[in-house]
């Protein structure tokens, strides 16, 4: 398996409950390294640009408002098969369907407030990482 990088976001429902360290421990315990990280407060417009792929979906406005409601932690995870590994550690979007021990099974409050975001493909990861980080900030 190739070494990859993927974007991870610890969402507002998790940052407001001070779960950043516990969530990051799960990523690190799974063999992923955090090679860039920052805590930011998105505007609704910035969230809208990031989630533009969902613009026609009925949940888009609610998602953008939620992502702008509290600070988030954006980070780049690196490791062998990082995209798939991150998604495995996150668990299913619906916490009721998430496997025990996953981030969403343990920390998500609902389908909408599911604590984390992760890239779903190499192309998506590259675009999402570039949205939040310059090359100088990737220090793995």
């Amino acid at each position: 398996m190739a070494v990859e990088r993927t974007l991870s976001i610890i969402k507002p429902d998790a940052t407001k409950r001070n779960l950043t360290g516990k969530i990051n421990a799960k990523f690190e315990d799974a063999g992923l390294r955090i090679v860039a990280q920052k805590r930011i407060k998105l505007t609704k417009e910035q969230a809208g640009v990031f989630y533009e792929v969902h613009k026609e979906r009925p949940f888009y406005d609610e998602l953008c408002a939620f992502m702008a409601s509290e600070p988030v932690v954006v980070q780049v995870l690196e490791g062998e098969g990082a995209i798939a590994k991150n998604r495995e550690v996150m668990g299913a979007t619906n916490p009721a369907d998430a496997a025990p021990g996953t981030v969403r099974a343990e920390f998500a409050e609902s389908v909408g407030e599911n604590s984390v975001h992760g890239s779903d493909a190499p192309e998506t990861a590259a675009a999402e990482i570039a949205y939040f980080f310059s090359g100088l900030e990737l220090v793995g």
Side-chain angles (χ1 to χ4, degrees):
M1 222 179 254
V3 172
E4 297 174 324
R5 287 182 172 170
T6 188
L7 184 80
S8 167
I9 301 176
I10 301 177
K11 292 181 177 182
D13 61 296
T15 63
K16 99 177 146 185
R17 291 180 289 142
N18 203 32
L19 297 173
T20 302
K22 289 178 181 178
I23 291 170
N24 282 337
K26 288 189 170 292
F27 295 137
E28 291 177 331
D29 289 348
L32 296 167
R33 290 184 38 192
I34 300 168
V35 298
Q37 181 182 68
K38 54 189 166 185
R39 184 180 180 95
I40 61 173
K41 179 79 166 68
L42 291 170
T43 65
K44 190 173 179 188
E45 293 74 26
Q46 290 166 328
V49 171
F50 182 76
Y51 285 108
E52 191 166 359
V53 67
H54 298 302
K55 192 170 187 150
E56 302 305 319
R57 297 240 170 117
F59 60 81
Y60 174 76
D61 287 333
E62 184 179 340
L63 173 62
C64 294
F66 166 64
M67 291 300 290
S69 68
E70 298 280 340
V72 298
V73 174
V74 292
Q75 55 195 9
V76 179
L77 306 177
E78 180 181 81
E80 295 220 2
I83 295 167
K85 178 60 70 177
N86 179 38
R87 296 185 72 74
E88 178 184 319
V89 172
M90 288 190 310
T93 302
N94 183 342
D97 299 332
T102 62
V103 171
R104 289 176 173 151
E106 289 190 24
F107 304 122
E109 296 185 311
S110 67
V111 173
E113 294 186 10
N114 60 21
S115 299
V116 286
H117 164 90
S119 304
D120 62 2
E123 302 77 24
T124 310
E128 290 181 348
I129 290 168
Y131 186 76
F132 290 110
F133 295 96
S134 75
L136 293 174
E137 295 176 294
L138 305 173
V139 295

